[in-house]
Amino acid sequence: MTRLDAIHTWVFDLDNTLYPSQAAVMSQVEGRMTEYVMKSHALEREDARKLQQRYYADYGTTLNGLMSNRSDVDIAHFLDFVHDIDHSVIDPDPDLAAHIGKIDGRRLVYTNGSRLHAERVIDQLGLNGLFEDLFDIEASRYVPKPNREGFDAFTGRYGIEPATAVMFEDSLRNLETAAELGFTTVFVRPHHHEGEPGEARPHVHFETDSLNTFLKDVHAHREKPKDPSHD
């Protein structure tokens, strides 16, 4: 935990990071994305799903794939459509609110989703008023993580020095870019993640199955009395 002693800016991904990946949020979003691709490309569901997955793999987000391959994408409509989901599947988390509220430093959310979606998730979790700002896909000019250009837009907007910032993410490829920039990285393992805890990942400095537990341990470390012999 010593590495976190010099951290002044705490950056949190939104989906599957601030709430448990078991919550049926992204499954709804992905279903809506498939439906959008079905309608926009006149495809059957299975073909639309395959195209959507290819866009995500090749471009970072389905939206970025659509924008790169079509000239008629209504970005605002896409974002509204895919995030028109039931957010009540997210359980309020007063413990997380307490842990985040106790952080001494700047707190920001950086998401590839829309701002409205982020606001609804934050509201449902009970984390209102705990973050300086929510940086969404529109703020990044629709350049998604893990692209360096999106990260540069994020750090530039808030004057973030990566060497004094930590990023919490459920995406290893997003953390790779963050680590290259100098962020301290925390991998919040999704429940479906394949791989063993502690396996070699040079771009991951910490990993956890529980954001709550990790932040609780951080606070305990920071509150631990210093050993006078080390002064």
Side-chain angles (χ1 to χ4, degrees):
M1 291 290 178
T2 304
R3 185 185 181 105
L4 295 173
D5 290 345
I7 296 300
H8 303 300
T9 303
W10 301 69
V11 181
F12 297 87
D13 175 47
L14 183 80
D15 292 305
N16 293 342
T17 298
L18 284 179
Y19 60 81
S21 60
Q22 295 94 322
V25 176
M26 291 311 294
S27 58
Q28 292 185 71
V29 173
E30 289 168 4
R32 298 284 288 174
M33 287 182 181
T34 299
E35 187 176 344
Y36 185 94
V37 174
M38 285 175 62
K39 293 178 178 178
S40 63
H41 291 69
L43 295 172
E44 296 298 324
R45 178 170 293 276
E46 185 58 30
D47 290 335
R49 176 64 175 159
K50 289 178 180 178
L51 180 59
Q52 177 206 335
Q53 291 177 325
R54 180 163 64 81
Y55 279 166
Y56 176 78
D58 292 347
Y59 298 96
T61 63
T62 301
L63 174 59
N64 206 240
L66 287 167
M67 292 170 60
S68 298
N69 289 278
R70 297 179 69 97
S71 60
D72 60 348
V73 179
D74 184 332
I75 298 173
H77 176 256
F78 173 86
L79 291 172
D80 288 344
F81 183 87
V82 302
H83 292 117
D84 184 14
I85 63 170
D86 178 12
H87 288 83
S88 69
V89 297
I90 301 172
D91 293 327
D93 196 339
D95 289 337
L96 181 61
H99 294 318
I100 291 178
K102 196 175 180 181
I103 291 173
D104 183 16
R106 302 176 72 188
R107 311 167 208 141
L108 294 157
V109 169
Y110 180 9
T111 176
N112 279 345
S114 71
R115 186 178 186 92
L116 180 59
H117 171 62
E119 290 173 343
R120 288 172 173 167
V121 170
I122 296 298
D123 183 63
Q124 186 65 26
L125 282 166
L127 305 182
N128 290 306
L130 296 180
F131 297 101
E132 178 180 330
D133 202 2
L134 311 175
F135 188 85
D136 71 333
I137 192 66
E138 182 178 2
S140 70
R141 297 177 183 173
Y142 305 104
V143 179
K145 295 178 283 184
N147 292 281
R148 171 68 183 266
E149 185 181 343
F151 274 85
D152 288 343
F154 172 67
T155 57
R157 170 172 287 200
Y158 303 107
I160 295 171
E161 174 51 57
T164 61
V166 58
M167 179 167 283
F168 295 82
E169 263 277 4
D170 69 305
S171 167
L172 287 170
R173 65 177 182 172
N174 292 349
L175 289 179
E176 189 168 0
T177 305
E180 289 172 356
L181 288 169
F183 280 84
T184 292
T185 61
V186 182
F187 178 41
V188 183
R189 288 189 296 268
H191 76 283
H192 59 271
H193 174 70
E194 295 181 2
E196 296 298 323
E199 69 181 64
R201 300 186 185 102
H203 59 288
V204 173
H205 303 118
F206 301 95
E207 55 185 277
T208 182
D209 290 316
S210 169
L211 181 58
N212 263 323
T213 299
F214 187 87
L215 292 177
K216 181 179 179 181
D217 290 344
V218 169
H219 294 315
H221 167 76
R222 290 191 161 192
E223 294 168 358
K224 185 177 180 180
K226 292 184 177 180
D227 185 343
S229 65
H230 291 167
D231 291 343

